[in-house]
Structures are given as structure tokens and as C-alpha cells.
Amino acid sequence: MLTETAFESRWSGRESGQATRKGFPAACNDSMRSIELIGASMSFRRNAEIYGEREPADYLYKVVSGAARTCKVRLDGRRQIGAFYLPGDIFGLETGDEHTLSAEAVIPSKIVVIKRATVISLAGRDIDAAHQLWTLTTRELRRTQNHLLFLNKTAPERVAGFLLEMAERAEFEGEIELPMPRQDIADYLGLSIETVSRMLRQFENASAIALPAPRRIVLRKRAVLKGLIA
Amino acid sequence: MLTETAFESRWSGRESGQATRKGFPAACNDSMRSIELIGASMSFRRNAEIYGEREPADYLYKVVSGAARTCKVRLDGRRQIGAFYLPGDIFGLETGDEHTLSAEAVIPSKIVVIKRATVISLAGRDIDAAHQLWTLTTRELRRTQNHLLFLNKTAPERVAGFLLEMAERAEFEGEIELPMPRQDIADYLGLSIETVSRMLRQFENASAIALPAPRRIVLRKRAVLKGLIA
DNA sequence: CGACCATTTGATATGGATCAAGCGATGTGG
DNA sequence: CCACATCGCTTGATCCATATCAAATGGTCG
């Protein structure tokens, strides 16, 4: 099956020529391109830790293939996911000297790593690099603010918002391949997996989406979802 | 009464020599000091809008006295407060070309305003200015991430976290003068005013705090509050 | 085929919202 | 100087959205 093959090549680790992703500001794929030149490429297995909370923030990371998440786990086991990073996205700059969140591979992933000091020292000499670094940070800030905003919405609003966000970042708008399990979505949205599941079912019953497989979501009526996010 | 006088001078608009605030990284009061030199000072009445959502983000702002909040109001009237800014804090850089949140004065406030283009062009020439701009953005990002983290906690955790955060920024740790009404706290924490009120009462019953006046909070047992935030 | 894991589905519990007074300051006009 | 209105806050009673608990189902891989 054609789509299944695409899915496999994109998410399962046998990445064949990391696809250029659509619907993404050019700057994001292009800025800090130098990272790929100077950085080292590393592979991570599913759920492998990329860095831990409180570890010194010595590196920046760029997703080549696969997907990463940042998160904070609390004593009682509750977990908040800070963000998901897809191919082309850069992460690890969220902080001062040490990481405030840990990072893990959602699925088998290739990540390019570069010393933070190199970037910062480059930014100290090259005004363009400095500007790129700032742009990147600003983008991260906007994303975080946006995330913050949906945490005081209702469950349907959160899930609809998540789907629309993923659709914008997806290779083909209108069809989403989710790299992450329901638990990750739940922890990102501050809901239980059961509620996430029920909301998806509800959207499907309203024929706003179709669910050919748990990790595959087809957006049928974008307007219905948009109407939900208030 | 001594403390009452301090309160008045700080929050009521007859600001006498904006106090240097304690417990705050030096960089925060010092960075972008130039703003005060080149910027224009403006006064805002209580609840006056400083800028609106979707307005072009042409300026940066620094609180001289008083307090500001950023927020987003939804169709149904629900409101999420993004952050509070106290004297010395800079805001308005959260975004790209237009503000994603609006900003208002919490109480009568003096705000210094500087053209964003000026700052950005300065940063384009001066590597130090660029670095300061980046530092400021990073700090904002960290604050936002931290805020994000408490939105999936329980009500007591959120309120305790808020008190500890305010205490750290307060002039005198151990005694907090809140510039904002309960509704603002509720909208910042994603709770109802009733719940905020009940949590405060609960902390008072546990003698973790004292409430000599609604806007005045004395921290008696910091450890109890810290224990609550999990 | 069988075991395991992720997901879905159903039943019940609960934290916090909402609804509805009451209360205490602050300010205003008589 | 005091009655009274107003506003912000608190308190109590009830309700509801979502969590939690408990199976059942389905998909994947050895």
C-alpha cells in the first residue's frame, strides 16, 4: 500500500532521504543550516533519552528524521510534554545553563548535535548568526505561548487544536501521520488518554475526521475542527 | 504604619523613586537600560490597554512603576493571562510582527516605551545589544515554560506555586503585596476566583500564610508551600 | 497461533466550576 | 458624620467535565 510505505519510510527508522517538509517557514529549514555541516549525527532508539533534566545544556539539536519530545516528569509519575519536534526542527535552546526539561526520541530518530558554545561564540562574532539564534528562540517562545493558551480550554478544544497544529506541520495537509502514541498526546494536552480517545471518536462520529489507523488521521472537515477551538 | 506606606508608594501611582527590587537577577534590571535613555515614559490608568492583540508589535515596554499583564480574551469571555510584569521587567518582545496577546496596566503604572525597530537595528549593529535581546527572549521563554508547567497541576499546587513565584520577585521576601485582584490570579492560573480564594483560606488554616488584607500575603511556612507544589 | 502492547469503551468518582448569597471595605451624597 | 451603594472577596450548595477504574478489543511481532 502506497501510503503505508510512505509512513514506514518516514517514521520507522529506515529513513530514505529525509523528505523536505511542507507548510513550514523556509527559515526553519534553512536557518542554522550550518549545524548540519559542523554537527555530528546521532541515532536514537524509540524512547531513548537525548538529554536529561538538570543536565548542562551544552548542545543544540536538530531533528533529521523521526521525532523528539521534551518533557518533565513529576514525582507522582505525571508527565507534561513541552513540545514535539519534527524533521527540520531545532530544540535544546530553551534554557540557560541547564536543561529545564528532558528530551527523548518518540520513535527511532536521527538527530544532528552541535556544541552550544560553538553556536553562541559564532553568534558573538557573526551578527547574522546572532539574529538566527534570536529568531529561533522567538519561534520557540511563540510556540510555547500558543501551547500555554490551550491548556485552559475544554477537552474537545484541546484535541481539535492539536490536530490542526499537526496538520499544519504535516507532510500532506489533510492527512496526519502521528509519530506519537496516545499517551504522549494526552501528556501534551494535559488530558487522560481515555479522554483523547473519546474526543477522536467524537470527531469521527461527526465526520470531521477519519481514523483509518490509530496513528493515521484524515481531516475531512477542517471547518468543524476550527469551529471547535473557539 | 510603615508597611502600609511602602505599599502605597509602590502600587498606588505616587511612586517615589522606583525602589530597586530584590531577589532579581541583576541582568534583568540592568539589561537594555538604554531603553530608559532613548524611550518615552507613559502613564497608564488601572486596566488601561497598553497594546491590543493583533496590533503591530512596533514597541518594547519596560515597567518603571506599577504592574502590567499580558492576556488573551476569548469569544466567550474567558481570559488567559500570559504573564505579570513588575518594575524592571521588559515585555512586548513575545512575538513576530504582531502581538499575540494584549497588554494592560494592572494598576496605575509608568511604562517606558521604545521603538522595536530601534532595538532591532541596534542589535543588527551591536553584538552586545543582540546578545541582550536574546537573553531577554530566553528569560521570557523560561518563564513561559514554567507557567506552562503549572497549568496541569492541581489547584493547591498552582496557587502555592504562584505565591512562591511572587515571593521571589517581591521587594521583601516573606511578605507579598499583590498588585492584582483575585480575578487576575485566577485567569493566570486557569482557576476560578472562588477556588483561588478557598486555596488561600486553606493555606491560612494550615498557618502556611497569613492574610492581613486581601492583597497582602505573609508567608509563614515556606516549606509547607514548597511541599505542596510536588 | 499466542502474547503483548496500545487503544477503545463503559461505569463510577471527584476536583473544581458554577450558582447564589453574604460580608467588609471604600467611597459618595445627604 | 452617617446611611447607603458599590466593588472585591469569601463562603456555601450543587453540578458537571474529565479523571479514574476496569474490561474488552485489536493490531503487531515472534
Side-chain angles (χ1 to χ4, degrees), chain A residues 74 80 148 151, chain B residues 143-155 157-165 188-190 229:
Chain A
R74 297 209 271 132
Q80 175 65 49
L148 179 76
L151 290 192
Chain B
R143 186 182 290 197
T144 305
Q145 280 184 338
N146 194 50
H147 186 185
L148 181 75
L149 288 175
F150 32 94
L151 289 193
N152 77 335
K153 297 188 179 174
T154 64
E157 285 169 345
R158 294 185 213 196
V159 177
F162 173 76
L163 293 180
L164 290 168
E165 182 192 314
Y188 179 71
L189 297 176
I229 64 174

Side-chain angles (χ1 to χ4, degrees), chain A residues 127-173:
Chain A
I127 210 88
D128 279 346
H131 189 257
Q132 284 184 348
L133 190 57
W134 181 63
T135 301
L136 231 41
T137 308
T138 296
R139 179 175 303 130
E140 193 65 23
L141 176 57
R142 189 153 54 251
R143 186 182 290 197
T144 306
Q145 279 184 338
N146 194 49
H147 187 184
L148 179 76
L149 288 176
F150 41 90
L151 290 192
N152 78 334
K153 297 186 179 175
T154 64
E157 286 168 344
R158 293 185 215 197
V159 176
F162 174 76
L163 293 180
L164 291 169
E165 182 192 315
M166 292 305 288
E168 265 183 46
R169 298 167 74 184
E171 193 160 1
F172 311 100
E173 284 210 48

Side-chain angles (χ1 to χ4, degrees), chain B residues 56-76:
Chain B
D58 292 335
Y59 298 91
L60 295 185
Y61 304 83
K62 179 166 180 171
V63 180
V64 174
S65 67
R69 62 177 176 248
T70 52
C71 66
K72 189 146 204 159
V73 181
R74 299 209 272 131
L75 309 168
D76 58 10

Side-chain angles (χ1 to χ4, degrees), chain B residues 78 155 192 194-195 198:
Chain B
R78 275 171 177 284
S192 66
E194 294 93 333
T195 298
R198 281 187 252 265

Side-chain angles (χ1 to χ4, degrees), chain A residues 78 155 194-195 198:
Chain A
R78 274 172 178 282
E194 293 93 333
T195 297
R198 281 187 251 265

Side-chain angles (χ1 to χ4, degrees), chain A residues 81-221:
Chain A
I81 290 184
F84 294 112
Y85 299 92
L86 302 183
D89 293 349
I90 290 173
F91 63 99
L93 45 64
E94 342 93 33
T95 174
D97 290 336
E98 48 180 47
H99 292 294
T100 51
L101 302 144
S102 63
E104 295 155 3
V106 175
I107 47 172
S109 303
K110 276 213 191 320
I111 311 276
V112 175
V113 179
I114 188 180
K115 268 209 171 299
R116 184 191 176 76
T118 308
V119 176
I120 290 182
S121 111
L122 180 65
R125 280 177 279 114
D126 177 2
I127 210 88
D128 279 346
H131 189 257
Q132 284 184 348
L133 190 57
W134 181 63
T135 301
L136 231 41
T137 308
T138 296
R139 179 175 303 130
E140 193 65 23
L141 176 57
R142 189 153 54 251
R143 186 182 290 197
T144 306
Q145 279 184 338
N146 194 49
H147 187 184
L148 179 76
L149 288 176
F150 41 90
L151 290 192
N152 78 334
K153 297 186 179 175
T154 64
E157 286 168 344
R158 293 185 215 197
V159 176
F162 174 76
L163 293 180
L164 291 169
E165 182 192 315
M166 292 305 288
E168 265 183 46
R169 298 167 74 184
E171 193 160 1
F172 311 100
E173 284 210 48
E175 180 139 6
I176 313 174
E177 292 297 341
L178 297 174
M180 73 291 283
R182 294 284 186 273
Q183 186 65 63
D184 281 10
I185 301 174
D187 291 344
Y188 178 71
L189 297 177
L191 297 170
S192 67
I193 52 173
E194 293 93 333
T195 297
V196 171
S197 183
R198 281 187 251 265
M199 293 303 121
L200 291 174
R201 174 70 50 217
Q202 198 172 297
F203 297 162
E204 194 182 32
N205 289 341
S207 15
I209 64 169
L211 285 160
R215 305 251 180 131
R216 170 174 294 264
I217 298 182
V218 182
L219 273 64
R220 294 209 177 292
K221 299 182 188 165

